[in-house]
Structures are given as structure tokens and as C-alpha cells.
Amino acid sequence: MEEGVVNEILQGPLRDVFDSKQLITDISGSGNNWAVGHKVFGSLYQEQILEKLRKSAEHCDCLQCFFVIHSMGGGTGSGLGTFLLKVLEDEFPEVYKFVTSVYPSGEDDVITSPYNSMLAMKELNEHADCVLPIDNQSLFDIISKIDLMVNSGKLGTAIKPKSLVTSSAGAFKKRQEKPFDAMNNIVANLLLNLTSSARFEGSLNMDLNEISMNLVPFPQLHYLVSSLTPLYTLADVNIPSRRLDQMFSDAFSKDHQLIRADPKHSLYLACALMVRGNVQISDLRRNIERLKPSLRFVSWNQEGWKTSLCSVPPVGHSHSLLALANNTCVKPTFIELRERFMRLYKKRAHLHHYLQIEGMEESCFTEAMSSLSALIQEYNQLDATKSMPAEDLPRLRIAV
Amino acid sequence: MSIVTVQLGQCGNQIGFEVFDALFSDSHCPQGLCSKRENEAYQASCKERFFSEEENGVPIARAVLVDMEPKVINQTLSKAAHSGRWKYGQHSCFCQKQGSGNNWAYGYSVHGPRHEESIMNLIQKEVEKCDSLNGFFIIMSMAGGTGSGLGAFVTQNLQDQYSNSLKMNQIIWPYGTGEVIVQNYNSILTLSHLYRSSDALLIHENDAVHKICAKLMNIKQISFRDINQVLAHQLGSVFQPTYSGEGSFHYRRNPLGIDWQVRPPLSGLPTLGKMSLNKEFHFNTSIANLVILRGKDVHSAELGAFKDPALYTSWLEPVHAFSVWKTQRAFSKYEKSAALVSNSQFLVKPLDMIVGKAWNMFASKAYIHQYTKFGIEEEDFLDSFTLLEQVIASYCNLGF
């Protein structure tokens, strides 16, 4: 809802990738106010948005899913972004909605971000099929780790400077001042790997609708923790099995996650492994067997693994792995969000900015709170089963 | 007598290709270990069964390829065409774009009715090319969405439309640990539906074939290609022509003429009271066994052990339960080869495991909303469980 960023894209190297007629901009921005984004700009631009969506959809032989990419803490991405989810649901009810949401970190500079995030969460709960939460702190940590590796020459082998992860933006100094390019590059890789099996051939394909089918056991619980390996390139082309196994171990290490969470000490509901490159089914199975004992799966889904093998690796790597986990470890993120929200809301701080928008009432806030609390409660209930032994339920008895 | 093969889904199509390739390679193998005339008769019989002739001499597989996304079919068609030795018919495939999302309900209730006419027309065309149709060979997996759901739907249709022809389903039993998270649901729905419309279910377990690759063939990095080739080899050794009777010199015209149906004695199954006290506990009781011998010394092979009454259930004489087919023409360059097709308690344990896991998951209602979304309700699940528990119980009772 302001022109700066979009204009920058249109003047940048990718300007020809985007259809200039498919852009909607305004001038003043949303002022970091979810209500402005959702209610004001939502109603203002609804028709235009619908029209452009329909136009894009017409070009598709078969529309399978939408990717909504936004942040939770601001006004436009958060407000208008979640408004869009409702529009998509009404207009294209059969099409899946994958939402990549950047959650605000502990020290973010937008004071009202807890309000915006809370209000957006309610919409995500109700209208998204699958959400991939990401936080800036994790991305920053990953970039720092890469820098450290590259600077100290720790790996011993040559690092390919043109690896897709360390973007072509150039020198490290520049990156330290403006890390967002590199951080966003990681999210881009996430989406690349997510769609690789749909774009390229492989011995075990996985479409995007399969992600939702396999990783969302209950409609509410659709928040997936993602982790990506490798994060740097290795110069060796023929990597012996040990390094391959290392890739799997890395995917389950906290360093490679795009959101801060601790899946190993929480409960897995389901896990998907999307492998790219010259990896075969036996490698996959060997690693699952190896890693399984250290992970706790819910009692009714002890073998809750979904796997895919895509033959084409990402540029500059010989193989890669994306792990998506539906795990109760997202609960702390939500609890923290609620706490930060409560700190502001208790004092009614900045509330008037929201309430003065037409259509906004205090009930919007309380409803959002109860929606999030209900979600946290569902995770609590599952966590409670963590320590219970997995029992086989009595089966149907048949008279022969 | 010809067989029309229907390949469904990624698994069905990948395997189907390997099967036709194995059949073709074997029939054109110069080292038949028999006379030239016999070799020619073998070739002709195999050809009539599985291939039809085209003007420029390249045989065309009698197959219909079905998948709900295009990548695998395109690959399969081009692999066959590239070999230059045989190919698939240009218009023998049916393809869509969006896939089935690993959802049995989507394959059965959405794709099935939507594409029924197109698919059945394709099959009809293939049937018309046969001088005389013996039956259908349907290759599918149980774990996914297309092979399993659409496969069950197509088999039902074949039952309605071609009730006099044999329908044999080649089913791939998934790995116990995770290819697809909802594989147990998909499996029980598939099996229960196929039980009502298929004549024979030929099962191959991924775990078992994997072990063959690892332990018997010493393959280090096992790929799906390796697994499929072992499978194709086994199927080829069952389906290639054999003599129709002791000493006869014509190849059996009815390749699937095994009496697969279980027929308990007219007086009904013996009650527990009549149980013989001398019978020891059986390791694996069979209803029927078929041994196929190919190559050198087939006529002098000692098969007495297969006729031991201890192998069979009490209400069957070995002479009724055991059959043997022999041919001197060697299979696939092996001087001697043997295949065993068995209807026995062998699959009770895997079936029981799948039903158990599916039941545990069903009790928590996990993932059910994904199925009810497309018209498969909880009652359908319960029906499936009931039917399969009956199958398990019936097979277990064979031991008495």
C-alpha cells in the first residue's frame, strides 16, 4: 500500500518477471495498523484484487494453490494479507492456500506488532490451509552462521561464492548492513524446495496438495516448522554416504530451522522430508531409522513420515533436504505472542488507532485472543499425551 | 488370449514400464535353451498376450496409462519410445494436472466419476484390439491417492462392464515406515473395495522386495528402479507362457486360469470340535499354491515337498490345492528358474499391522476431515474395518 518496494522491484533485474498490470499500490501505506490494512484497504481494493486474481487464474490450466507471502507484524501484509485469505476462500474454494508468515522477533521495532500479529493469527487459524511461520531472528542467525563458516574457512573446502543461498549481492560487509536480502533468500529457497517435486521429475513425487493432506491431521493444527539443509555449498561433487547422512542430521538441528522452536523435546504430529538430488529410497529409509528413536511422535502416528524424492538438485548443490514438521513446539511462539499482546492490551495502549477504524470493535481483539487460546489449548492437550505409553486400542471383534 | 494392463498412478506406471520391458526382453532373448521352433512359439504367445502389432513392426504394449498428473506418464512414454524395441500406444493414456493429493477419497469420489467415461473408453479401445480378451491386469499402489482410490473405482467399473473377464490387481504394499502418512487409511479403503470387485489380488510388499535387493542382490544404494525391476522380473516369470498340460506342446492359452477363488467345502467349515488332535501348529497354512518352473530339467524336478498335506488347510487335498506349470524355455537367461504364487496366511501379519495402525489413527479421528471433505464418511471407514477384520479372521482360521 505504498509504492517504494514495488517500484524497486520494477526497476531491478527481475522487472520482466512481473506483469506490471498485476500490481496494486497505494501511496500512504497502512501505518503498521492491521485495521487499516484489513478493513480500509480491504474494502477499497477488493474488486481490483478479485479482478486481477481472476485474470491470473484464467491463465492456468489447473490452479492448485496460492502462496501468500507476508509479515504478521505490520499493517499491509498482516491486515490486507489476511483479508486476501478470505477473498481467496470465497472465490476459489477448492484451491489450497499456503501462507508464509514472518513473525515478529523479540526485538522488533514496530510497537503495535503484537496487536497486528494477534489479529492476523485469527484469520490464519480460520482461513489458511497451511502456514509456514518464520522469524527474523532465526534467519539472521543462519546468515551469521554462514558468514562465520565462510570467513573462518572452517570447511576446508572451497565455498562456491555463487551458491543460491549467499545471494549475488556480494561482499559480507554489505550484507551485515543490509541482511534482509540474504535472509529473504533463505525463505525463497524454502519455497523453491517445497515446489521442486511439482516442477521436476523424481521417483517419488509430492504435490502441494499432498503436503496439506499428510501434515494437517486436524483443521486447526496447520502450522509447520521448516528447516532447510544445506545452507552452504560443498565443493565435492560425489559426496560419500556419510555426508549425506549429515544432511539429515542437520535438518533436525535447531540451527537449520526457520523459526525458533525445539521440536526434539516436543511432540511430532507428522513430518515430511523432501529430498532433492541423487538420493535413493534406501538412503532415505536408513536415515529415518537412525533419527526416529530420538524423536517423539504422537501415539496414533508413530510412523508419521511423508517422503518425496526429486531427482533435480538445487543450483550449486548436489542434494538438499527440506523438512516440514507439524510439531507442538510452535506452542511457545504463540504463547509468547499472547503475552506480548496482553502487556499492551491491558493498558489499552495504542488501541484508539484501531478502534477509530470503521468496523473495528473491542470484540475483534477478544475474539482473536480466544481463537489463539483455543489453538494453544489444542496443542496442550496433545502435549499431555506425550508421556503416555502408546497403547493399541481394542479392535473390532468379528464373528466368523 | 490377451491381457489388457491398466497402469494407475506414479507407482503403477513406473512398474508397468518395467514389467513390459522385462516381458519383451525375455521373449526376445536368444538363449532360450530350447529349439528354435519352440522359441518362436513362446515369442508368439507372449506377443499375443501383451503386445499388439503396428505397421512398422514396433510392438505396442496392450496397456492403458492413467495418472492425475502428467510428469510420470510423460517419462514412461518417452522411456519406452527411446528404447526403440517396443512402445506404448500414442493415445493410450489419460492424464490430468492436479494429482490426487494422496487422498483416497479424492481419487475414488472425485476423479473416478469425473473421468469415468474417458478412462473406460480408452480401456474399451484397447480391448477391441484383442482377438480374444482373457482379462485385466491392474497395477496400482495402496498408499497414494490415484492408484489406490481411482484404481478401486476403475476395478469396480471393470467388474460391471466386463464381468466375464478376469480382473487381477497387482498391489504394492507400502513400506511399513512412512512413504505417506495416511497410507494406512488409503490401504484399508483400497483393500476393502477391491475385495468386492477384484478376482485376485497379487501383492508385493516394498519392505520384502527391498530386503531382496539388499540381502540377495547386494545392491548398496537401492533405488525405486531397482525395486521395480525385481518386481517386474517376478511378474514376468509368472506371466510368460507355459505349457498347458503335461506333455502338451501348445502354450497355455489362458495365462490367468488359476483357480484363485477360495471354495470352502460344501458342508461349511469344520467346527472346532472336529479339529484333529494330531495336527501340529502350522507355520503358514495355504489354500492354494502354484509353482512355475522354467528351463533345464523341469520335468525331473522333485516337487514332493509341495504336496505335503501339512502345508494346506484341513478341508483341502493337496491335489486340489497345488498346481505346477512347466516349460523348457528358460526365462531371462536363467538356466533354471522357479516362481511360487501362494494363497496363504503369509499376508495376515502385514494386513493385521495395517489394520491396527489405521484403527489407532481412526480412534483419534486424525485426518478424517480430509476424507469427509470428499464424501468418504466415518461409516465407510467402519465398513472397511469390518470387512478386513473378517478377512483376517478367515485366514487365521485356516490353521485349524
Side-chain angles (χ1 to χ4, degrees):
Chain A
M1 292 290 102
E2 56 106 4
E3 297 176 317
V5 182
V6 174
N7 280 340
E8 211 181 299
I9 296 176
L10 287 178
Q11 280 150 24
L14 291 176
R15 57 178 170 272
D16 293 325
V17 174
F18 293 94
D19 181 351
S20 55
K21 298 194 285 307
Q22 294 288 88
L23 300 170
I24 300 177
T25 53
D26 202 288
I27 306 173
S28 46
S30 302
N32 284 331
N33 187 329
W34 184 91
V36 173
H38 196 96
K39 304 275 182 189
V40 176
F41 285 125
S43 52
L44 198 58
Y45 285 102
Q46 180 168 357
E47 270 317 305
Q48 262 192 63
I49 292 174
L50 262 175
E51 188 199 311
K52 296 194 197 281
L53 281 173
R54 282 187 198 129
K55 198 145 162 263
S56 279
E58 270 165 33
H59 288 303
C60 304
D61 280 334
C62 174
L63 181 59
Q64 188 178 71
C65 94
F66 287 108
F67 279 116
V68 177
I69 309 173
H70 71 149
S71 76
M72 298 285 278
T76 303
S78 175
L80 188 55
T82 49
F83 176 79
L84 203 64
L85 284 178
K86 258 201 291 243
V87 169
L88 292 173
E89 192 170 89
D90 292 332
E91 182 73 12
F92 305 94
E94 288 179 3
V95 180
Y96 286 92
K97 299 171 283 296
F98 272 85
V99 187
T100 309
S101 309
V102 182
Y103 279 68
S105 326
E107 331 80 35
D108 82 308
D109 48 5
V110 178
I111 302 180
T112 50
S113 70
Y115 284 158
N116 297 331
S117 307
M118 177 65 82
L119 291 163
M121 270 300 284
K122 174 163 178 288
E123 306 299 317
L124 289 183
N125 275 342
E126 292 171 13
H127 303 294
D129 290 304
C130 227
V131 178
L132 300 165
I134 298 182
D135 73 56
N136 276 334
Q137 191 57 47
S138 299
L139 295 179
F140 191 75
D141 289 342
I142 290 174
I143 295 296
S144 310
K145 185 171 172 241
I146 296 177
D147 279 352
L148 207 63
M149 291 268 169
V150 170
N151 275 336
S152 69
K154 206 170 176 184
L155 290 172
T157 55
I159 305 294
K160 290 195 196 150
K162 284 231 160 65
S163 134
L164 218 55
V165 175
T166 66
S167 80
S168 48
F172 309 124
K173 277 207 195 112
K174 189 173 175 191
R175 197 155 63 227
Q176 266 152 22
E177 287 151 18
K178 194 182 173 193
F180 285 114
D181 275 356
M183 287 159 66
N184 294 341
N185 197 236
I186 296 185
V187 183
N189 279 324
L190 164 67
L191 293 174
L192 271 184
N193 281 334
L194 197 64
T195 55
S196 61
S197 195
R199 293 180 289 125
F200 300 116
E201 43 122 45
S203 60
L204 191 57
N205 294 337
M206 175 147 115
D207 257 336
L208 293 158
N209 47 10
E210 293 174 30
I211 295 180
S212 176
M213 176 70 185
N214 283 288
L215 293 175
V216 182
F218 301 101
Q220 285 271 58
L221 306 178
H222 55 245
Y223 296 86
L224 307 177
V225 175
S226 47
S227 60
L228 205 49
T229 66
L231 297 170
Y232 44 81
T233 57
L234 298 166
D236 306 329
V237 176
N238 289 317
I239 297 179
S241 280
R242 201 192 143 264
R243 299 272 193 94
L244 184 62
D245 288 8
Q246 184 61 39
M247 181 174 78
F248 282 88
S249 302
D250 285 342
F252 286 90
S253 105
K254 282 195 260 183
D255 293 338
H256 288 250
Q257 281 166 209
L258 276 69
I259 182 171
R260 297 178 119 198
D262 190 3
K264 277 200 176 164
H265 293 109
S266 310
L267 197 61
Y268 275 89
L269 302 179
C271 186
L273 297 173
M274 305 174 70
V275 189
R276 297 180 67 174
N278 183 20
V279 183
Q280 302 300 345
I281 186 72
S282 54
D283 300 313
L284 200 50
R285 301 186 55 68
R286 182 181 65 243
N287 280 288
I288 290 179
E289 286 309 311
R290 189 171 59 87
L291 293 165
K292 215 163 62 153
S294 59
L295 306 170
R296 249 175 299 198
F297 273 81
V298 72
S299 64
W300 41 259
N301 205 2
Q302 293 278 299
E303 270 92 29
W305 297 90
K306 162 73 181 158
T307 56
S308 84
L309 295 166
C310 174
S311 323
V312 180
V315 177
H317 300 243
S318 61
H319 37 61
S320 77
L321 170 64
L322 165 65
L324 291 176
N326 191 342
N327 187 309
T328 57
C329 65
V330 288
K331 195 176 66 175
T333 306
F334 298 147
I335 292 180
E336 206 185 296
L337 183 63
R338 185 171 61 180
E339 275 166 20
R340 271 195 265 138
F341 171 84
M342 284 310 295
R343 280 202 287 270
L344 274 183
Y345 191 65
K346 259 194 312 209
K347 304 196 208 123
R348 295 284 182 275
H350 303 279
L351 215 51
H352 58 285
H353 292 296
Y354 292 80
L355 295 176
Q356 73 192 13
I357 305 290
E358 191 185 320
M360 284 299 288
E361 289 159 14
E362 280 215 30
S363 58
C364 296
F365 286 87
T366 47
E367 274 166 24
M369 254 269 292
S370 34
S371 170
L372 185 59
S373 295
L375 182 65
I376 293 175
Q377 186 49 22
E378 282 211 42
Y379 280 114
N380 275 335
Q381 278 173 346
L382 283 166
D383 269 335
T385 67
K386 212 174 11 174
S387 44
M388 284 167 21
E391 261 173 36
D392 278 337
L393 291 155
R395 300 253 293 267
L396 292 175
R397 263 189 254 153
I398 304 292
V400 178
Chain B
M1 289 278 244
S2 308
I3 301 177
V4 170
T5 302
V6 184
Q7 307 178 181
L8 290 142
Q10 172 165 31
C11 177
N13 281 296
Q14 283 177 186
I15 290 180
F17 169 77
E18 299 292 350
V19 171
F20 279 106
D21 208 42
L23 291 169
F24 187 87
S25 304
D26 170 58
S27 72
H28 283 254
C29 188
Q31 296 141 296
L33 278 186
C34 57
S35 70
K36 184 166 174 230
R37 206 192 65 170
E38 213 173 289
N39 210 15
E40 279 170 8
Y42 184 86
Q43 262 186 27
S45 182
C46 166
K47 191 101 133 316
E48 191 201 346
R49 222 174 259 195
F50 296 107
F51 296 91
S52 62
E53 195 71 58
E54 181 155 275
E55 295 93 50
N56 64 0
V58 178
I60 302 183
R62 296 188 195 278
V64 174
L65 296 82
V66 178
D67 201 357
M68 293 296 110
E69 61 107 356
K71 292 194 300 285
V72 181
I73 285 194
N74 286 340
Q75 251 194 311
T76 311
L77 288 175
S78 72
K79 263 202 289 197
H82 262 116
S83 71
R85 301 174 299 149
W86 63 274
K87 61 183 185 183
Y88 284 104
Q90 247 180 330
H91 304 287
S92 306
C93 36
F94 180 79
C95 206
Q96 287 295 282
K97 299 257 174 100
Q98 77 265 52
S100 302
N102 285 168
N103 193 329
W104 193 92
Y106 202 80
Y108 186 83
S109 308
V110 178
H111 283 310
R114 204 182 275 179
H115 308 300
E116 185 179 344
E117 209 181 311
S118 313
I119 297 177
M120 296 313 288
N121 275 345
L122 274 184
I123 297 179
Q124 173 74 14
K125 273 212 210 95
E126 203 56 53
V127 168
E128 280 163 13
K129 282 193 224 161
C130 305
D131 281 334
S132 97
L133 175 72
N134 177 253
F136 298 95
F137 185 50
I138 303 141
I139 313 182
M140 55 198 261
S141 75
M142 286 201 308
T146 301
S148 67
L150 186 57
F153 185 84
V154 168
T155 309
Q156 225 166 275
N157 268 40
L158 289 175
Q159 168 74 331
D160 294 333
Q161 225 174 309
Y162 303 92
S163 46
N164 287 330
S165 307
L166 191 97
K167 289 151 290 294
M168 176 181 276
N169 293 66
Q170 161 64 48
I171 302 188
I172 301 304
W173 205 271
Y175 284 102
T177 318
E179 286 173 33
V180 171
I181 293 178
V182 290
Q183 62 187 44
N184 298 316
Y185 280 167
N186 292 339
S187 300
I188 57 139
L189 289 165
T190 305
L191 287 172
S192 61
H193 278 80
L194 285 181
Y195 250 93
R196 297 172 202 146
S197 44
S198 172
D199 295 307
L201 307 177
L202 196 55
I203 313 269
H204 272 103
E205 294 173 77
N206 269 349
D207 276 306
V209 183
H210 190 106
K211 251 197 246 168
I212 292 177
C213 290
K215 306 245 165 86
L216 295 182
M217 297 172 72
N218 274 316
I219 303 178
K220 293 291 170 214
Q221 203 191 20
I222 302 169
S223 66
F224 270 121
R225 184 126 203 267
D226 297 317
I227 295 195
N228 294 344
Q229 283 180 334
V230 169
L231 236 146
H233 183 100
Q234 285 192 352
L235 288 175
S237 67
V238 170
F239 286 130
Q240 286 291 50
T242 55
Y243 286 135
S244 45
E246 211 62 79
S248 153
F249 290 103
H250 291 290
Y251 279 107
R252 184 182 291 271
R253 301 207 72 209
N254 188 347
L256 301 176
I258 314 154
D259 203 1
W260 294 108
Q261 307 277 358
V262 180
R263 291 206 199 94
L266 291 165
S267 53
L269 292 169
T271 57
L272 287 172
K274 288 195 194 152
M275 198 167 50
S276 159
L277 293 164
N278 293 333
K279 274 237 167 106
E280 287 126 30
F281 176 68
H282 286 194
F283 158 70
N284 179 29
T285 312
S286 302
I287 297 175
N289 283 319
L290 166 66
V291 168
I292 303 169
L293 299 172
R294 301 177 187 272
K296 203 164 144 206
D297 300 335
V298 283
H299 296 294
S300 51
E302 177 50 58
L303 292 162
F306 285 101
K307 301 183 190 154
D308 185 345
L311 284 177
Y312 301 95
T313 184
S314 58
W315 38 267
L316 271 179
E317 299 287 319
V319 66
H320 295 130
F322 174 66
S323 325
V324 56
W325 295 350
K326 301 179 189 175
T327 176
Q328 255 178 304
R329 206 280 190 178
F331 177 71
S332 204
K333 300 187 201 155
Y334 285 93
E335 192 182 77
K336 297 184 196 170
S337 65
L340 169 65
V341 187
S342 177
N343 186 347
S344 66
Q345 294 178 317
F346 192 63
L347 277 166
V348 171
K349 199 151 155 240
L351 182 58
D352 192 62
M353 264 211 321
I354 283 195
V355 173
K357 288 190 206 167
W359 185 246
N360 277 340
M361 200 183 261
F362 182 68
S364 69
K365 298 285 175 281
Y367 299 102
I368 299 294
H369 70 283
Q370 310 269 16
Y371 291 85
T372 53
K373 209 169 25 174
F374 299 110
I376 299 295
E377 306 295 330
E378 289 186 24
E379 294 90 67
D380 298 303
F381 277 89
L382 284 171
D383 285 342
S384 301
F385 280 117
T386 312
L387 196 153
L388 290 178
E389 296 282 8
Q390 278 171 339
V391 170
I392 294 174
S394 304
Y395 267 99
C396 279
N397 280 342
L398 291 179
F400 299 115

